[in-house]
Amino acid sequence: MSGSRKRARNGDTTATSPVINGESLRRPTSVVGPAPFSEMEAAVQENERTDYSIKIPLETAKAGTAPRTVRVYADGIYDMFHSGHARQLMQAKMAFPNTHLIVGVCSDKLTHKKKGRTVMNETERYEALRHCRYVDEVVKAAPWSISDEFLVKHKIDFVAHDDLPYVSSDSDDIYKHLKDRDMFLATQRTEGISTTDIIARIIKDYDMYVRRNLTRGYSAKELNVSFMKEKKIQFEENLNKMKDKSRELMDKIKDTKDKGNEMIHRWEEKSREFITNFLDMFGREGRITSWLQEGRARIGQAISPVNSDDEEDDDSTNSRGSTETDRNNAGSPDSVTKSPPAKRGRISPALVGATSQGQGDKDFLDLDLEDETS
């Protein structure tokens, strides 16, 4: 035995039933689109095709050896259809290898009488179930308690619901007789989400949702809000807008201030770096000063070498010695025969003094001639 069931993205459902004794139990492809209501032709044909005289025990259904499609029924209010509902239907659908899932939805009249008002009306709740991927058929105006006549009419093999006792006005558990007959399929509730929880969230933030809907164009009458309540909510909405704008402005100012502080910090770092580089280049111990000092030293060495002073001293000593020797030899007899010393082109101190005292060139020439004749 082998079989599988797939649902395409466009809603098409194909089912392959097991083959027993050479007879194919292949189910026809359902109509593309939402699941049909129980009174529609596709659902009626599926019902007529089912041989309800063949009873399927729970163990046989779980083992996948059922000779026909297993018909499972799940019922409820399904108000504000959410993921918890979908997971419960998924468990019912996947409980057996070859399952036809029928979902019964209670009407508004019965629900308001037994449980209270709903958020969604019955039409909206029907349509929500029809578009769930796990649902094969929807029963409108389903009964509160499941009778044997209802089981036979829809050829139901098992009823899926969570295992907690469901108390009613006339029963401690409306599913007890199904449990006793081994026709009950227990499913697990999804913690943290339910219709009651969602409604509690809305009530908790009632003013916020009223304010939101008023801003979206709903009137106070549509929201069942008094005139004073409407004006109060509108005033609070405007006040909140002003607070939000003020908060945004403060955030912008803070961002601008932070950016300014960051720029100042960067400029301070750049200034320190510039001053450090400047002092390193032009300071007292800077590179420029060192270069200048080295340059002066090199120029000084080039202009006056180290040995030039000693040579000059030697020349001046020799010249003074030769002058004194010439003067001493001037009065001696040998001086006549000897030639006069060569002139070095220096001016004697006596001539320099005479010239500085205002004597003319004539006196200078006379003195020179006297020396020659002598």
Side-chain angles (χ1 to χ4, degrees):
M1 178 194 68
S2 62
S4 62
R5 182 177 181 81
K6 299 179 181 178
R7 181 183 291 273
R9 293 191 178 201
N10 61 2
D12 186 18
T13 304
T14 58
T16 304
S17 299
V19 177
I20 298 178
N21 298 327
E23 181 182 357
S24 175
L25 300 178
R26 181 181 179 86
R27 298 175 58 200
T29 303
S30 62
V31 179
V32 176
F37 291 117
S38 59
E39 66 271 14
M40 288 184 174
E41 183 179 358
V44 172
Q45 291 179 357
E46 182 67 22
N47 185 293
E48 293 175 350
R49 193 180 297 112
T50 302
D51 187 0
Y52 196 57
S53 62
I54 302 175
K55 299 301 179 181
I56 302 176
L58 184 59
E59 292 76 10
T60 303
K62 289 182 178 180
T65 57
R68 59 173 176 83
T69 301
V70 181
R71 293 171 69 88
V72 178
Y73 176 78
D75 62 345
I77 308 302
Y78 299 105
D79 190 20
M80 302 184 69
F81 189 80
H82 51 74
S83 61
H85 294 144
R87 288 178 63 86
Q88 186 256 344
L89 297 176
M90 179 188 71
Q91 295 176 54
K93 177 68 176 179
M94 301 179 67
F96 311 121
N98 189 22
T99 304
H100 181 85
L101 180 58
I102 307 169
V103 179
V105 183
C106 299
S107 64
D108 287 345
K109 182 179 180 180
L110 182 61
T111 303
H112 297 166
K113 178 182 178 181
K114 294 288 187 178
K115 194 171 184 179
R117 292 190 60 84
T118 58
V119 177
M120 301 170 64
N121 59 46
E122 59 183 29
T123 302
E124 294 169 338
R125 293 186 285 116
Y126 296 156
E127 289 299 321
L129 267 299
R130 290 186 69 195
H131 291 82
C132 178
R133 62 180 299 181
Y134 307 111
V135 179
D136 296 307
E137 182 180 335
V138 175
V139 177
K140 296 189 294 185
W144 195 259
S145 298
I146 302 173
S147 62
D148 292 341
E149 292 78 11
F150 185 83
L151 294 173
V152 173
K153 177 181 178 181
H154 294 282
K155 299 181 179 179
I156 297 170
D157 296 308
F158 302 98
V159 176
H161 202 274
D162 61 82
D163 202 17
L164 297 176
Y166 201 88
V167 180
S168 181
S169 59
D170 55 352
S171 175
D172 294 336
D173 187 2
I174 61 175
Y175 298 104
K176 186 176 182 304
H177 66 290
L178 298 170
K179 295 177 182 178
D180 295 339
R181 295 165 60 180
D182 204 18
M183 296 180 64
F184 185 80
L185 179 65
T187 57
Q188 300 296 323
R189 295 178 63 90
T190 302
E191 297 296 332
I193 185 169
S194 66
T195 302
T196 303
D197 293 337
I198 296 174
I199 294 174
R201 297 176 199 173
I202 296 173
I203 294 173
K204 179 182 177 181
D205 298 323
Y206 168 76
D207 288 344
M208 182 187 70
Y209 290 116
V210 170
R211 187 181 306 116
R212 183 187 69 176
N213 287 350
L214 286 175
T215 57
R216 292 183 177 181
Y218 286 88
S219 65
K221 183 178 180 181
E222 291 174 324
L223 299 174
N224 196 25
V225 176
S226 64
F227 176 80
M228 294 302 297
K229 182 72 173 179
E230 178 187 10
K231 296 306 177 185
K232 179 183 177 181
I233 291 175
Q234 289 177 350
F235 174 77
E236 291 176 352
E237 179 67 18
N238 294 332
L239 182 62
N240 291 332
K241 288 181 179 180
M242 292 181 62
K243 289 181 180 179
D244 293 339
K245 290 182 179 179
S246 300
R247 196 175 295 110
E248 291 177 0
L249 180 61
M250 293 300 295
D251 291 340
K252 290 181 180 179
I253 293 174
K254 183 180 178 181
D255 293 340
T256 303
K257 184 178 179 181
D258 293 339
K259 291 180 181 179
N261 292 335
E262 185 178 356
M263 292 180 64
I264 292 173
H265 181 68
R266 290 181 180 178
W267 275 110
E268 289 177 351
E269 292 181 351
K270 291 293 183 182
S271 299
R272 294 193 192 98
E273 183 180 354
F274 176 78
I275 292 171
T276 302
N277 294 336
F278 183 84
L279 293 176
D280 185 48
M281 181 67 72
F282 299 100
R284 182 175 296 177
E285 303 296 333
R287 283 179 283 177
I288 294 296
T289 304
S290 300
W291 293 343
L292 292 176
Q293 290 176 355
E294 292 177 1
R296 291 194 189 101
R298 292 175 181 175
I299 293 173
Q301 291 177 1
I303 294 176
S304 57
V306 178
N307 297 327
S308 61
D309 294 337
D310 297 337
E311 293 176 357
E312 184 177 356
D313 293 338
D314 294 340
D315 292 342
S316 61
T317 303
N318 294 332
S319 63
R320 284 196 298 269
S322 62
T323 303
E324 292 177 357
T325 304
D326 293 341
R327 289 178 181 177
N328 293 329
N329 295 331
S332 63
D334 298 334
S335 61
V336 177
T337 58
K338 292 181 179 180
S339 60
K343 296 183 178 180
R344 291 181 174 273
R346 294 186 178 180
I347 301 173
S348 64
L351 294 177
V352 173
T355 305
S356 62
Q357 294 176 0
Q359 294 180 0
D361 295 337
K362 185 176 180 299
D363 296 335
F364 172 75
L365 293 174
D366 292 339
L367 291 173
D368 195 10
L369 290 175
E370 291 176 359
D371 291 338
E372 292 292 338
T373 54
S374 63

